[in-house]
Amino acid sequence: MKPKNLSEIPKAYNPSDAEGKWYKYWYDHNLYHSEVDETKVPYTIVIPPPNITGILHIGHILNNTLQDIYIRYKRMMGFNACWVPGIDHASIATEAKVVAMLKEKGINKKDLTREEFLKYCYEWKDKYGGIIFEQLRKLGVSCDWQRERFTMDEHYYRKVIEAFVKLYKEGYIYRGYRMVNWDPASKSAISDEEVFYKEVKGNLWHIKYPVKGTDDFLIVATTRPETMLGDTAVTVNPNDERYKHLIGKTIILPIVGREIPVIADEFVDMEFGTGAVKVTPAHDVNDYEMGLRHNLQIINIFNEDASTNENVPEEFRNLDRYDARKKVVKKLEKLGALLKVEDYTHKVGYSQRGNVPIEPYLSEQWFMKMDELAKPALEAVLKGKIKFHPEHWVKTYEHWMTNIRDWCISRQLWWGHRIPVWYHKKTGEIYCEVDPPADIENWTQDEDVLDTWASSWLWAQDVFTNELDQKYYYPTDLLVTAPDIIFFWVARMIIAGMHFMNDIPFKDVYFTSTVRDTQGRKMSKSLGNSPDPLDLIEEYGADALRFTMTYISPLGQDVHFSNEMVEIGRNFANKIWNAGRFLLMNAQNIEINPELADKHIDFTDRWIISRFNRTLKEFADAIDTFEVNAASKILYSYVWNDFCDWYVELSKERLYKGSEEEKSAVLTRALKLYEEMLKVVHPFMPFITEEIWQLIDERKEGESISIENFPEYDANRIDPDAEEETGFLQEIVTAVRNIRGELSIPPSKNINLLLKSSEVTEGQIRYIKSLVKADKIEVNKNLVKPKASASSIVKSCEIFVPLEGLIDLDKERVRIEKEIERISKSLEGVKKKLSNENFVSKAPAEVVEREKAKQKDWENALEKLESIYNDLKE
RNA sequence: GGGUUCUUAGCUCAGUUGGCUAGAGCGUCUGCUUGACGUGCAGAAGGUCACAGGUUCGAGUCCUGUAGAACCCA
């Protein structure tokens, strides 16, 4: 080992210097490219492809940090690690952006041909599609950039089309005229999963519907009065005594004047509203089904943009649905048909993309039959072939999969994978193949494209573009994703995997926490509570942000994030930096000699090595069980508490006072241990660990900590004796420091120490002396307590700090009193337990033994404390 | 309405198959220009584990109920 000669090491770690430099180094040396290598076991992750319209948000930080931790860890463990990056074309979102962009330029999509429009889309993608990866690189992700994919790459596009054709031929895909969720802004169907429900303050309008040929009338209550223009019936519950006599009668629809029947259907809830329901089969899902049951006329009153069409009276035509509502209400009022208006809060479906209320709308769409396809995918998860972390998502998955409904996969858009179906111009015959028909002039291709998720569901299998790769890397190992796309993407990827590959797409799925603000609100642009990760990286450093995210994100729970929390990571990085700085500064004067690395070993060395190996074991267990949060805490506590607070402090004794050879041995060993520690931290904090790793020894061009071997746990290095010996030392030191603190003995004041014990060793005395700033330590099992002294008890050892005149005896008395009280209380509990015969006979022997030992220890301590206390009273 | 999850120190969270003298970080208080670090060091205070029952020798942990919160589905 040959640490660099450093004239000056900054007191604080400066991330911005290190980050750009090392990312470029990794990138230039292509360190994270993976090729098929049969001699190595692959470990594969496919990135959840961000949307090309998307920019980096705090959720991406968590998600990609987790993936990077796993990929870096496995790479260092010797796996052939492959992390495939890529982006998603995002049909609806992108098309909306491009349309808006064109509009600003004064171009109307309608005036463009499909080809012209797609050209604009690709231009847009080239301009903005790569931004998010530039941002992710700032985070330090070790993706294989040579494998970057896009859902509309030629190979991938073809795979999507092949999948459609296969499913069509197998009978899973059909075309139908159905009620769909219509987004009137993008003028496209969307799937059930793309609808979210918002609570909206609205009204319940009570409208009077006259019964033909009588003075009688029915009152219907509705939240959407404008749809009455398309009513074709009124329904009551057949058991409703109030309305039985009206069933079969005819209503004259106000405004429109259409004659519509009163029908009976069990579906109607007698309790809701007035118990009489207007039926608009073309614009409500339940009404549509009722319409089918009763053979009702279906009148569509809206255009594609949800404005009223020619099926309504002339004065109401060409109005936006909300304008139509106002006008209808006004008219009803004028006609005396409006009885009352109530405030009413209800949930309204909105388009997730366009954020406009969706319109239930009848249209011809392509659907996928899901129930049969879902079965193997459900089984794969229930039988544990795919494991979810945390496991409880299995229930949500199961619930959705067992109640799965057919999937509307067509979208009335141009940007995306065009449906490979051609209609014969004369015969109307349908042709569905990957390649167009030979006599293309006689056919017209379906205008629609596929739902984006009907392309990204092949992501795990078709980012691999040749058979060899696919065979080697598939199934992938881990998918890290947000739980809100469990249905959209995770479930469908499993379905696709089982159907097309006859195998699972990934072995483990890690569902991340949802990042919220400190008030528990979701991060959103409109609330302005969403921090820009790039600002955070600039302020605190990428490592700090990465570490903080893992440190604060509990498994399976939402995380409450605020910018100041990143200080946790920044401070931790600084701690690591300064421990390194300490060793490097000493290396300027003390020779590093690898031959001495195993010389002058004492119990503190064996202790830190033991602790390190325990840490390795705990760390690996946490990573293997996907408890990343726990893993980060294990790291934190080893680095900060064990290594810095104790080991570095202990080492000073020998570093400053040892022989030249001892100094050399101690520093060499400490640097070695520090280097191993850096490797363990590296997957979490890649930049700082690389920066220091490059400083502590001479490295060749192309070498990197990121491709070093991860330290291996060695059970033989677990050393209970050294742990015991160091633990005893730590307890004594802490007890003395406690006395100093509690009795306000200034740190500048050196003390003498008397230890009444037969168990304290010479080795321990040396360290105690340096850690508590003692001039003299006397150890003797027959010591007599000096009168004016402070005391403490650690196991069998009594500690006395004689400080005539310097300690306040009243304070000391209170301190001992408190200690007596605390131990008495604990002792009481133990005694109570042990005097319970049931406990002694039924509890495991081991537990009983432990309680007995406690009793002995505490009784012992109490006896000593009481004697000390009596002594103080004199 | 159905499902899932949560409620532990002022705040954010750990607490594995019940054995606990209930932990950590932040914040608070006291002291510290200690030859790595004030982004730090040393010490301290702070909790009838939401509430009520039950199972058990033993419950923060298991069961039932109540109250409150969040998310998903309809």
Side-chain angles (χ1 to χ4, degrees), chain A residues 856-868:
Chain A
K856 211 181 128 197
D857 284 355
W858 288 336
E859 274 173 350
N860 209 323
L862 213 51
E863 195 184 311
K864 287 173 179 163
L865 282 168
E866 268 157 8
S867 133
I868 288 164

Side-chain angles (χ1 to χ4, degrees), chain A residues 755-795:
Chain A
L755 302 176
K756 185 175 178 184
S757 166
S758 53
E759 286 167 42
V760 183
T761 63
E762 277 303 314
Q764 286 170 325
I765 291 168
R766 181 183 183 189
Y767 290 115
I768 293 168
K769 222 172 161 176
S770 92
L771 291 180
V772 303
K773 294 196 77 180
D775 283 334
K776 230 173 74 187
I777 298 188
E778 191 182 330
V779 183
N780 191 320
K781 64 176 170 182
N782 299 316
L783 268 176
V784 181
K785 174 181 178 294
K787 278 284 171 229
S789 61
S791 326
S792 193
I793 292 167
V794 172
K795 299 211 170 77

Side-chain angles (χ1 to χ4, degrees), chain A residues 273-284:
Chain A
T274 59
V277 178
K278 63 189 270 310
V279 184
T280 323
H283 299 291
D284 182 277

Side-chain angles (χ1 to χ4, degrees), chain A residues 691-709:
Chain A
E691 172 79 4
I692 309 177
W693 189 80
Q694 298 278 349
L695 291 177
I696 58 176
D697 202 352
E698 283 182 331
R699 311 292 180 188
K700 291 195 197 79
E701 185 62 26
E703 282 187 329
S704 163
I705 189 174
S706 63
I707 49 173
E708 287 286 295
N709 290 328

Side-chain angles (χ1 to χ4, degrees), chain A residues 330-448:
Chain A
K330 207 172 243 175
K331 182 82 176 190
L332 287 170
E333 219 171 354
K334 214 165 142 192
L335 294 173
L338 188 67
L339 288 184
K340 68 171 172 179
V341 185
E342 286 177 311
D343 286 339
Y344 186 68
T345 302
H346 60 129
K347 293 210 167 168
V348 175
Y350 276 67
S351 159
Q352 208 166 53
R353 297 295 179 194
N355 199 23
V356 293
I358 57 117
E359 191 62 50
Y361 197 69
L362 278 168
S363 67
E364 191 154 50
Q365 303 288 344
W366 288 94
F367 293 89
M368 197 184 296
K369 267 161 80 173
M370 298 306 286
D371 47 358
E372 215 178 292
L373 288 171
K375 276 179 194 151
L378 175 59
E379 199 184 86
V381 172
L382 290 183
K383 289 199 171 162
K385 282 200 267 180
I386 298 172
K387 293 199 175 66
F388 285 0
H389 311 277
E391 205 186 349
H392 72 248
W393 289 107
V394 170
K395 288 185 182 170
T396 307
Y397 177 80
E398 183 181 10
H399 189 255
W400 190 73
M401 290 293 262
T402 46
N403 297 292
I404 197 164
R405 296 190 296 177
D406 287 1
W407 176 13
C408 175
I409 52 170
S410 46
R411 297 290 182 272
Q412 287 63 56
L413 302 165
W414 281 348
W415 175 242
H417 306 76
R418 191 166 177 181
I419 288 175
V421 168
W422 287 261
Y423 307 98
H424 195 277
K425 284 177 183 166
K426 287 188 187 130
T427 65
E429 186 194 337
I430 284 183
Y431 173 96
C432 175
E433 291 292 345
V434 176
D435 297 307
D439 54 335
I440 186 80
E441 64 280 3
N442 295 321
W443 301 80
T444 329
Q445 186 172 3
D446 197 294
E447 289 294 328
D448 294 351

Side-chain angles (χ1 to χ4, degrees), chain A residues 603-604 607 641 644-647 649-651 653 724-742 745 751-755 760-774 777 791-795 797-801 815:
Chain A
F603 68 101
T604 62
W607 164 77
N641 304 124
C644 293
D645 287 348
W646 287 102
Y647 186 63
E649 292 306 319
L650 285 162
S651 75
E653 167 66 17
E724 169 99 37
E725 204 174 347
T726 304
F728 188 47
L729 162 72
Q730 289 173 322
E731 280 186 67
I732 291 174
V733 169
T734 305
V736 178
R737 284 173 174 170
N738 176 286
I739 289 172
R740 285 198 103 115
E742 294 264 291
I745 300 168
I751 54 171
N752 290 332
L753 204 56
L754 304 176
L755 302 176
V760 183
T761 63
E762 277 303 314
Q764 286 170 325
I765 291 168
R766 181 183 183 189
Y767 290 115
I768 293 168
K769 222 172 161 176
S770 92
L771 291 180
V772 303
K773 294 196 77 180
I777 298 188
S791 326
S792 193
I793 292 167
V794 172
K795 299 211 170 77
C797 176
E798 284 179 79
I799 302 166
F800 304 119
V801 181
R815 208 177 66 89

Side-chain angles (χ1 to χ4, degrees), chain A residues 590 654-667:
Chain A
I590 299 172
R654 287 180 290 171
L655 244 28
Y656 297 150
K657 297 184 187 150
S659 66
E660 284 311 306
E661 191 185 275
E662 190 177 28
K663 283 182 185 175
S664 201
V666 168
L667 188 62

Side-chain angles (χ1 to χ4, degrees), chain A residues 15-69:
Chain A
S16 53
D17 289 350
E19 292 177 0
K21 176 176 67 183
W22 293 117
Y23 203 90
K24 184 169 187 305
Y25 180 86
W26 298 333
Y27 191 88
D28 289 347
H29 289 282
N30 204 15
L31 294 183
Y32 309 133
H33 176 56
S34 168
E35 287 286 341
V36 172
D37 176 356
E38 295 294 349
T39 67
K40 287 170 93 181
V41 182
Y43 185 87
T44 315
I45 298 179
V46 293
I47 206 168
N51 189 322
I52 57 170
T53 67
I55 51 154
L56 196 72
H57 58 72
I58 195 80
H60 289 124
I61 297 289
L62 175 61
N63 188 302
N64 286 285
T65 295
L66 291 167
Q67 292 175 71
D68 200 40
I69 286 169

